[in-house]
Structure formats: C-alpha cells, structure tokens
Amino acid sequence: MIEEKSFLFNLEKVTQRIKDACDKSGRDMDGVTLLPVTKNWPVDAVRYCKNSKITLVGENRVQEATSKMDLIDGVEWELIGHLQSNKAKQVVGRFSRIQTVDSSKLLKRLDVASLASEVKTAILLQVNAGEDPAKFGVSLADAPALFMQALKCEGLQVDGLMTIAPFAPDDPSVSAKTFFRLRTLRDQLASESGLPLKVLSMGMSGDLEQAVAEGSTMIRVGSSLFGDRMV
Ligand SMILES: *Cc1c(COP(=O)(O)O)cnc(C)c1O
C-alpha cells in the first residue's frame, strides 16, 4: 500500500488531468465527479480519500466492500463490479448506488429486496457500449427495453448509465466511440422518458480524457491513484 503522501501527489495529478480535459471541452469541473476505486486495497485507501474530503468510493466485490464498510464510517459506497442476482439482498441498503445492473433478473431481485427493506435503491444500467465480448453489460440494442422495465420498479431509481470501454491502450478512438454511444443512448432514453438520467459513469485511469470529452459525469479511477494492483 502506498504512503498517503504519494496518494496526495497522485490525486493532484488526476485532478489536473480532469481539469485539463474539462478545459479542453469547455466543461465545468463541477460536472465531473471523481470516484476513487479502492478495490484490492486495504481500508487505508478509503481513509486516504476521506482525509482528502472524498467520501464516495467505488468497490467491485460485495464481500470485500462490506468488510471495509465495517471498519470505517462517513463514507458512501458504489458498487461498480458485476453483481450476481442471488446477492441482491446483500447490497440493498449498504451501497448508495449499484452501477452494474445489466439484466432483467437482477433488476427484479433488486426491486424486491428494496421494497422489502423499504428503501429506494439508486442504480445505473451497465451497457456494453463497446460491444466487447469480454465485458458485462446489456447490449445497446437491448438497453431501451431494460430501461423501460427499470422504470416500472418502484423500489429502484434509475440515475443514468455506466460503461467500461474495451481495453485498447494504443487506440484512444475505441474508448471515445464507446463513450459517444453511451451518451447518445442516454440522450435518447432521457428524451423519451422525460427523466434527466444525469449520471454517465464512464472513464478510468487510461481513458478519462476521452470520457470527459464525451460528457462523462463520473470518472472511476483506481491505479492512477493507488498504484498498480496487487493482484
Ligand atoms: C477497477 C475498475 C476501475 C478502475 O480502473 P483503473 O484502470 O485502475 O483506473 C474502474 N471501473 C471498474 C468497473 C473497475 O472494475
């Protein structure tokens, strides 16, 4: 685990990258939330964030996240990793948002669990906007139907969309195109439904510039803040 001062240095660099990207596309930095991804790191990673007044973090495994939740308070957690529908009950009321809803079955289970606990669960629909066979997410073609179904779930609140671009470090146009498609889909669903669908969770350490240029409102950054993964 890196020292806190290295984290602070990295945080400054990432913040500067986001600022530069916003300047380039004439966007206000307030429109882009940095979501530090603390997966694979001990709870100290979350403490560093909290010390820097960042109280929202992303985790990709339920078990790992909930064990950290027991060790620190005053932090909100977003689930950014694939969720099996049989774990829906475990996440309701614990995560402030589930970013990875990509099937009808998962929607139903989350809805039932939310209604049973009398909470409204905020979700994003994860879309495989890069049509990458290695990625989870509903296809672009099936996304409108899943969205319509989500709107009928009284226990859920759809805040927007999320995607992970295909891994193509040598070709920035791949992620740019993926993000453009997600934004276009969001605009379409928003105008059809009359809902704002404000959140576009797209962009990570390697492609945050393209994401900001295409309208991202949430950048999920792990390695650029905490270093390369331990696993
Ligand atoms: C790990 C992860 C990230 C962060 O990736 P980095 O490349 O380390 O910034 C972002 N989003 C998801 C869904 C992840 O699993």
Side-chain angles (χ1 to χ4, degrees), residues 18-33:
I18 296 173
K19 184 179 186 307
D20 290 346
C22 284
D23 288 349
K24 223 174 148 182
S25 43
R27 297 188 58 196
D28 190 330
M29 245 192 120
D30 289 349
V32 184
T33 301

Side-chain angles (χ1 to χ4, degrees), residues 35 37 39-40 59-60 80-81 99-100 126 162-164 201 203-206 219-225 227-229:
L35 181 74
V37 176
K39 67 170 186 223
N40 297 336
E59 283 278 342
N60 73 337
I80 62 169
Q99 296 204 3
T100 48
Q126 180 177 358
M162 178 270 209
T163 198
I164 307 171
S201 172
M204 328 198 304
S205 292
I219 308 283
R220 310 176 306 263
V221 178
S223 50
S224 288
L225 288 174
D228 281 321
R229 311 198 168 107

